[in-house]
């Protein structure tokens, strides 16, 4: 900090501005470190250190990323900054590492989203559960849990219909039937097929009673 004042206006100050955020990084003050790496980029966008500084902004937020049980705001920021790095330096030798860290962050955020949707399901807020499961598939279309999520969407709609007032039952049983067709079309040999078929037949019987 003292040297940056002494060398202000000279060519050497650029290196001081570059090394300064590493001081904060080294003592684990990642938020301040990210701030000063971004400051460096604002002051010296064409610096020979710009690529590394942009990587470090993302890496600082990555270091602040908590377990999947906690709020994932820093994971989202880290993912955003890693994507910015990838867009800016697509040929960088750091790209394999960046891609690996991005996959790790997405997996963590996916687990958080899945846990949230399952919590709605377990506390019997089936409308919120169905919405959350659907959003999860939109946000993470390549998820390995897709089959189970599709089944839980169907079951959530069915349970929502069962627990609805009479005026809303027919519409919601139809949502369940549509969800079943989506599920069984994609996973005809699913381990959930027997239970899904039983629930589907029950949904059909209930809609016939309403009509």
């Amino acid at each position: 900090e003292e040297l940056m004042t002494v060398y202000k206006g000279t060519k050497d100050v650029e290196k001081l501005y570059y090394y300064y955020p590493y001081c904060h990084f080294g003592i684990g003050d990642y938020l301040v470190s990210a701030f000063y790496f971004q400051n460096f980029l604002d002051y010296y966008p064409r610096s020979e250190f710009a690529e590394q500084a942009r990587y470090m902004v993302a890496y600082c937020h990555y270091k602040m990323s908590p377990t999947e049980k906690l709020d994932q705001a820093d994971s989202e920021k880290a993912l955003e900054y890693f994507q910015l790095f990838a867009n800016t330096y697509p040929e960088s030798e750091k790209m394999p590492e960046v891609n690996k860290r991005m996959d790790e962050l997405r997996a963590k955020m996916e687990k958080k989203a899945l846990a949230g949707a399952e919590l709605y399901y377990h506390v019997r807020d089936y409308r919120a559960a169905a919405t959350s499961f659907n959003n999860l598939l939109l946000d993470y279309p390549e998820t390995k849990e897709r089959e189970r999520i599709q089944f839980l969407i169907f079951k959530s709609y069915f349970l929502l219909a069962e627990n609805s007032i009479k005026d809303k039952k027919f519409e919601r049983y139809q949502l369940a039937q549509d969800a079943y067709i989506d599920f069984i079309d994609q996973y005809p040999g699913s381990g959930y097929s027997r239970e899904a078929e039983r629930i589907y037949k029950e949904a059909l019987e209930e809609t016939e009673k309403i009509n």
Side-chain angles (χ1 to χ4, degrees):
E1 288 173 351
E2 291 178 10
L3 286 170
M4 282 191 290
T5 302
V6 172
Y7 283 89
K8 189 174 182 180
T10 72
K11 64 178 182 179
D12 293 321
V13 77
E14 179 183 330
K15 285 187 177 179
L16 290 170
Y17 268 85
Y18 174 64
Y19 289 124
Y20 181 60
Y22 275 111
C23 297
H24 289 284
F25 184 87
I27 60 173
D29 199 347
Y30 302 122
L31 185 61
V32 174
S33 180
F35 173 81
Y36 281 113
F37 274 120
Q38 186 60 55
N39 260 11
F40 176 82
L41 288 166
D42 293 340
Y43 280 117
Y44 304 103
R46 294 185 176 85
S47 169
E48 63 180 301
F49 306 118
E51 179 180 336
Q52 179 64 16
R54 190 164 295 285
Y55 172 81
M56 288 301 296
V57 172
Y59 188 55
C60 286
H61 284 286
Y62 169 84
K63 293 288 282 184
M64 291 188 287
S65 174
T67 65
E68 64 266 15
K69 293 181 180 180
L70 302 176
D71 181 76
Q72 294 299 305
D74 282 308
S75 298
E76 291 173 6
K77 285 184 180 179
L79 195 59
E80 178 185 334
Y81 285 122
F82 276 131
Q83 187 62 60
L84 179 59
F85 178 90
N87 294 343
T88 308
Y89 303 103
E91 305 300 322
S92 171
E93 63 181 18
K94 287 188 174 293
M95 281 309 301
E97 182 182 346
V98 167
N99 287 329
K100 179 182 177 183
R101 297 197 189 284
M102 289 175 73
D103 288 344
E104 182 184 332
L105 289 163
R106 287 192 191 99
K108 189 185 293 187
M109 291 163 63
E110 180 190 325
K111 283 184 180 179
K112 173 69 173 177
L114 181 56
E118 288 176 330
L119 179 61
Y120 283 127
Y121 181 85
H122 291 310
V123 300
R124 301 183 180 183
D125 188 345
Y126 299 118
R127 185 183 347 192
T131 300
S132 297
F133 284 129
N134 275 306
N135 287 340
L136 201 155
L137 292 183
L138 290 174
D139 292 337
Y140 307 99
E142 304 301 320
T143 177
K144 294 178 181 178
E145 296 286 338
R146 189 176 188 90
E147 180 182 344
R148 186 165 72 91
I149 292 169
Q150 288 276 123
F151 173 71
L152 287 171
I153 290 171
F154 159 58
K155 198 168 180 182
S156 294
Y157 279 134
F158 174 77
L159 292 169
L160 175 62
E162 273 205 326
N163 290 279
S164 295
I165 60 173
K166 186 176 180 181
D167 289 346
K168 293 186 179 291
K169 281 184 179 291
F170 182 79
E171 175 190 351
R172 290 172 176 175
Y173 277 125
Q174 284 192 315
L175 285 173
Q177 291 166 39
D178 291 343
Y180 170 79
I181 292 167
D182 287 342
F183 168 72
I184 211 67
D185 281 350
Q186 291 184 56
Y187 305 102
S190 171
Y192 300 107
S193 294
R194 184 175 295 178
E195 183 181 0
E197 186 177 355
R198 176 185 61 77
I199 295 170
Y200 177 63
K201 286 179 179 177
E202 193 172 335
L204 289 174
E205 290 170 2
E206 291 299 325
T207 49
E208 286 175 6
K209 287 179 187 175
I210 295 168
N211 281 338

